[in-house]
Amino acid sequence: MDHGSEPTEAPAQQQGAKSSPGQVLFAAPAQPAGTYKLDLKLGFRCNNKCVFCVQGDKRDHVSDLTTEEAIERLRNGRERCDGLLLTGGEISIREDVPEIIAAAKALGYTTIQVQTNGRRLAYRSYAQALVDAGATEFNPSLHGHVAALHDGLVGAKGAFVQCVAGIKNVVDLGQRVLTQTVITRQNVMYLPQIARLLVSLKVHQVQFAFVHALGTAAETWDETVPRYRDVQKYLPLALDLVKAARIQTITEAVPFCFLRGREWAAIEPRLPDTTVYDGDIEIGDYDRYRNEAGKAHGPPCHACSWSAVCEGPWKEYPERYGWEEFVPRSDPPPNW
Ligand code: SF4
């Protein structure tokens, strides 16, 4: 279910059975307590089979955390983290999520966000159970405006109807709902229609994230990874539609040379400091990891006035498509 925060390689020790906190990559610098957000991946099993899944290759060889292991990581992470994102895989296929959320609440996490494909939220009693346990935000993923598109992308018939019903349930329960749409070759031309649907569902934030071509997405590259020049054709209208409805809208992994006039949407300058527990790897400072191991700058960036504030694309994109589409900017960036 997670489409973004992802180590580029799985170290050998990740390929085993049970996990205990192991290798630390990009250790977090000393920070005052509570300044970080914890991104806890409970496992990689999923009831969808998304063509763009960044970690689809892990589902068969990385074991889920046990309930006790998950709570142990919550305890460890609490030393420097106030906020929590629970993600997978798809966490709603486990039965212990209310218990894990309740443990997080008892440990004092101030925001507890549930990232999900949204399907199980269609069952009102399940959505209510997560809210009762202490969830404060929901992060469902909708990748199409109609069933044929969404179900095709996530590889599960009926997923669209369930996800839409799930979004309605959590909105109706008064929860903060922050949606995720992965931009792919299949849905790029429908981004405005997807935006209209999400506005009609009265969600609180809409995120459009450019596909990260790892895992399954690397295998399905030709059908799945669009060109930024096509994103540039359809994304601005989608952003404008959401903004006009006074709903927050953000982008991820869309460099500023493709966001001219919509720079306000880029999330990267505003991302919280985050620690990721991914299998038995801890990425202490995900910001540093993302910039030093995930993203890339290329020749156009060297002549670009925005390079200091721009992370560039995920590195796999220019490795395959080159840098020709990237046109350096000469206007001054804002003083963020
Ligand atoms: S730094 Fe590179 S990727 Fe970023 S806006 Fe400039 S040219 Fe584009």
Side-chain angles (χ1 to χ4, degrees), residues 254-260 296-313 323 325-329:
V254 181
F256 287 110
C257 44
F258 301 100
L259 270 183
R260 291 169 200 260
H297 281 132
C301 308
H302 305 320
C304 178
S305 57
W306 284 63
S307 62
V309 293
C310 178
E311 293 187 355
W323 288 98
E325 292 164 273
F326 296 73
V327 178
R329 297 184 62 149

Side-chain angles (χ1 to χ4, degrees), residues 57-243:
D57 54 334
K58 293 182 184 171
R59 60 174 73 193
D60 295 329
H61 62 257
V62 181
S63 298
D64 285 6
L65 298 182
T66 65
T67 310
E68 295 71 30
E69 287 169 335
I71 293 172
E72 178 65 18
R73 281 162 173 70
L74 291 177
R75 225 175 262 124
N76 294 340
R78 187 68 188 94
E79 287 169 18
R80 64 170 175 274
C81 303
D82 264 359
L84 172 66
L85 170 63
L86 287 174
T87 184
E90 173 53 38
I91 68 171
S92 70
I93 62 175
R94 323 170 43 119
E95 294 307 319
D96 59 356
V97 176
E99 185 183 346
I100 292 169
I101 291 172
K105 186 178 178 187
L107 284 164
Y109 283 94
T110 51
T111 57
I112 302 173
Q113 188 181 84
V114 174
Q115 190 176 70
T116 170
N117 61 29
R119 294 176 58 187
R120 196 167 176 186
L121 298 177
Y123 299 90
R124 178 77 168 215
S125 57
Y126 181 73
Q128 183 73 61
L130 300 188
V131 173
D132 291 346
T136 62
E137 295 179 347
F138 288 84
N139 186 200
S141 295
L142 194 69
H143 309 290
H145 61 302
V146 291
L149 179 57
H150 178 85
D151 291 1
L153 280 165
V154 305
K157 201 165 163 40
F160 175 81
V161 170
Q162 288 182 314
C163 183
V164 169
I167 291 173
K168 286 179 180 169
N169 271 338
V170 280
V171 168
D172 201 38
L173 286 168
Q175 295 299 294
R176 194 166 145 70
V177 180
L178 322 170
T179 64
Q180 162 96 309
T181 299
V182 177
I183 303 171
T184 62
R185 188 175 285 229
Q186 296 92 327
N187 69 8
V188 64
M189 72 191 70
Y190 300 110
L191 295 179
Q193 287 91 330
I194 295 168
R196 277 194 195 95
L197 172 59
L198 291 168
V199 166
S200 76
L201 291 172
K202 299 185 171 58
V203 302
H204 301 91
Q205 177 181 286
V206 173
Q207 170 162 317
F208 296 101
F210 191 85
V211 61
H212 189 181
L214 290 175
T216 309
E219 294 165 18
T220 62
W221 183 297
D222 290 337
E223 310 99 81
T224 303
V225 182
R227 303 300 293 250
Y228 275 117
R229 59 175 174 247
D230 292 324
V231 174
Q232 217 174 0
K233 284 186 211 160
Y234 302 102
L235 182 61
L237 177 56
L239 294 172
D240 291 351
L241 284 165
V242 181
K243 190 178 183 209

